[in-house]
Amino acid sequence: MPQQTLRPDPFRDTTSLDMRGDTPRPKSTHPIANATAAPAWTVRRRQTAAAEIARRSYEILWQASNGDIMDARTTAPALPEFEAAFNAFARGAIFTTDNGPVAIEDLLPGDRVETVTGEMQTVLWIGSMELRRNDSPDGTPEPLVRLTPDALGFGQPSPDLLLGSGARYLLRSEALKSYLGTSHALASVTALIDGVSTFEVTPPSRVRTYHICLERHSVVRVNGVECETFHPGLTANTRLSGGLRDAFMDLFPHLNDLGGFGAMAHPRLTPTDLIQLELV
């Protein structure tokens, strides 16, 4: 068997001592062997800070236990669960009270509003916020929904009505009975948009919107249209957890907890429900 000749490795560091003795071996003249090694790359992972929740200003009026009217301006998360409590009725929406028709901007806690059942209920809380151009990423304010006169029937509304995305109307349909066991349910006003008698409008300037709480969740007539008063919904306890729940309840000083909103007057329909029932 022929003897194998080992070729010297030009990349070997020949300045090290020979493993068989203490005699240094000559340094290689190969240019790569004598090159200074570059420091190893170190990957540093940037720590991502927790995303901050945007906040906005809210104004609230409420009736204290002694009957006094209290007011406050505060900031809270700009989340849909919060904004829905302030974005239902634009200025000019008319409510029927025991003192006659009153615009939403003139309504006060302690006033009594007529519900669709003919019952008079006391206003306990009024919330409002301002929709401005700089509240949205593209610089345009959130669109509102405009119902033209008689869009839902004679006198519904009368005159026209400007609503926010937090508004829901009472839908009456026999098709609901097999689905919910009742012919009445609440649906978002955005489901009414048809581009003819009901359509989106983008205000050219800032607009203030409102919502109200009565003694109980109810349906009231606003410019003749049957709309619900505010209620956070049956799943609020799940959607608002921990600190968010506390921040939300701080906006309702007249209540101790979510249970204070009481039972809902009617079930609510989701957009998917409306499509499945062919009601849109």
Side-chain angles (χ1 to χ4, degrees):
M1 181 175 182
Q3 185 176 0
Q4 185 177 4
T5 302
L6 298 177
R7 296 183 180 181
D9 184 359
F11 300 98
R12 182 181 176 186
D13 185 1
T14 57
T15 60
S16 61
L17 296 180
D18 191 343
M19 296 298 294
R20 293 172 296 176
D22 296 335
T23 303
R25 300 186 61 179
K27 186 175 182 180
S28 172
T29 59
H30 197 287
I32 297 180
N34 294 329
T36 302
W41 286 94
T42 301
V43 178
R44 297 183 179 180
R45 298 189 181 276
R46 181 178 298 174
Q47 294 184 352
T48 304
E52 293 186 5
I53 299 177
R55 300 176 70 85
R56 74 180 308 148
S57 177
Y58 300 101
E59 294 186 13
I60 55 176
L61 292 168
W62 73 97
Q63 187 175 39
S65 57
N66 62 359
D68 290 346
I69 297 176
M70 312 294 290
D71 67 278
R73 176 180 294 178
T74 185
T75 60
L79 296 173
E81 290 81 3
F82 287 72
E83 294 178 337
F86 298 82
N87 188 16
F89 313 112
R91 288 176 61 92
I94 304 296
F95 292 74
T96 302
T97 74
D98 54 359
N99 291 318
V102 176
I104 182 66
E105 62 269 26
D106 297 325
L107 206 61
L108 289 172
D111 290 345
R112 293 177 62 77
V113 172
E114 184 179 7
T115 69
V116 295
T117 62
E119 178 187 12
M120 303 300 294
Q121 282 200 44
T122 302
V123 177
L124 299 182
W125 178 94
I126 301 174
S128 69
M129 71 180 192
E130 204 169 59
L131 300 180
R132 300 172 297 179
R133 287 187 176 274
N134 57 0
D135 287 335
S136 60
D138 60 358
T140 58
E142 180 180 349
L144 300 174
V145 179
R146 181 179 178 230
L147 280 71
T148 58
D150 304 329
L152 303 181
F154 181 73
Q156 301 179 55
S158 178
D160 62 350
L161 179 61
L162 201 57
L163 300 172
S165 60
R168 289 184 178 87
Y169 73 102
L170 184 63
L171 174 63
R172 300 171 184 267
S173 173
E174 292 299 315
L176 294 172
K177 282 190 175 181
S178 60
Y179 188 68
L180 297 173
T182 176
S183 59
H184 302 70
L186 298 162
S188 172
V189 294
T190 57
L192 294 172
I193 297 174
D194 58 11
V196 180
S197 60
T198 304
F199 47 89
E200 282 189 347
V201 293
T202 301
S205 59
R206 62 183 61 185
V207 174
R208 181 162 291 277
T209 57
Y210 303 78
H211 217 329
I212 67 172
C213 283
L214 303 182
E215 300 167 68
R216 293 179 301 281
H217 182 235
S218 304
V219 174
V220 296
R221 289 187 177 88
V222 185
N223 291 33
V225 177
E226 298 174 328
C227 298
E228 72 164 342
T229 60
F230 179 71
H231 193 291
L234 300 179
T235 61
N237 198 50
T238 302
R239 290 181 287 106
L240 298 168
S241 59
L244 283 179
R245 187 183 306 147
D246 294 336
F248 182 80
M249 290 309 305
D250 285 344
L251 299 172
F252 300 89
H254 66 296
L255 299 176
N256 295 322
D257 51 39
L258 289 170
F261 287 99
M264 293 187 63
H266 300 282
R268 286 175 176 165
L269 295 170
T270 66
T272 302
D273 294 331
L274 293 170
I275 293 173
Q276 291 178 345
L277 293 169
E278 300 181 349
L279 294 174
V280 291

